Amino acid sequence: MSHPRIMVLGVQPGSPPFRIMEIDGEVVGQARTVTDVLRTAAAFGITVHDLDDPDVVRWVGGDKFTWTPH
């Protein structure tokens, strides 16, 4: 199993709901959209070419389309 640099954790309730992001094992902020994930990655010098590549991004509790709690 690979250890991607970016992890996007499950959706948290809020207004609007959000997902916590980790980079290299450290919590770096919240994402409310896939664009937030890309912007945060870029701020840490990571260019994401494929959000579906599990070696780059691990989506926990849903995929890149999951932005509301179940």
Side-chain angles (χ1 to χ4, degrees), residues 18-50:
F18 63 92
R19 297 176 78 163
I20 295 171
M21 276 188 70
E22 294 181 358
I23 293 181
D24 297 331
E26 299 287 326
V27 173
V28 296
Q30 300 175 357
R32 290 181 170 77
T33 66
V34 99
T35 303
D36 291 344
V37 173
L38 295 171
R39 284 186 184 142
T40 301
F44 281 83
I46 303 168
T47 301
V48 178
H49 295 288
D50 183 359

Side-chain angles (χ1 to χ4, degrees), residues 10-11 17 56:
V11 178
V56 177

